Amino acid sequence: QAQLVESGGGSVQAGGSLRLSCAGSGYSYPSNSMAWFRQAPGKEREGIAHIYTDRGNTYYASSMKDRFTISQDNAKKTVYLQMNNLEPEDTAMYYCAADGWYLDQGSYKYWGQGTQVTVSS
């Protein structure tokens, strides 16, 4: 059974950093297409970043590329999201997803349960 497990969320003050991890198991990893999304309270889920894990190509939502970095460690079957200079507006549940198309949410086959990030001012 395919499983994605996110970790690394928590509470941080504005200006701080967090690194989220997404560990995959139970399916053909590295899936060649993985992404991070987030959903803030009362808002729709939005895409952050995508990576082709077989060659490391990355793609970012235009509003995310300055402070967020997606990367991978294929030996550990893990994808990361480094988040710097966090703002209260970044408070959200963060999800990783596998086997989809760039930041097209509906195309993704596998989803994690999410990890909460809370940024205080």
Side-chain angles (χ1 to χ4, degrees):
Q1 183 176 355
Q3 187 175 21
L4 296 173
V5 179
E6 302 98 333
S7 61
S11 296
V12 64
Q13 289 190 330
S17 299
L18 285 173
R19 188 177 78 158
L20 307 183
S21 300
C22 173
S25 64
Y27 65 100
S28 179
Y29 189 98
S31 164
N32 72 332
S33 180
M34 297 189 70
W36 284 97
F37 297 85
R38 71 181 185 184
Q39 187 167 21
K43 295 186 177 181
E44 294 186 352
R45 189 163 54 190
E46 61 178 341
I48 301 171
H50 168 270
I51 189 166
Y52 279 116
T53 57
D54 55 348
R55 51 193 183 272
N57 290 21
T58 58
Y59 172 83
Y60 295 88
S62 58
S63 62
M64 307 290 182
K65 59 184 178 181
D66 291 337
R67 299 183 295 117
F68 294 77
T69 302
I70 190 170
S71 62
Q72 82 234 26
D73 184 335
N74 288 345
K76 296 182 179 180
K77 299 183 179 181
T78 300
V79 172
Y80 303 98
L81 184 68
Q82 177 68 41
M83 308 186 295
N84 298 325
N85 194 22
L86 285 163
E87 303 169 352
E89 293 73 23
D90 295 317
T91 295
M93 186 71 79
Y94 285 70
Y95 300 90
C96 69
D99 283 355
W101 179 251
Y102 285 102
L103 297 181
D104 178 356
Q105 300 180 40
S107 70
Y108 277 84
K109 185 175 182 179
Y110 303 109
W111 289 85
Q113 293 300 307
T115 185
Q116 178 68 39
V117 171
T118 302
V119 184
S120 59
S121 58

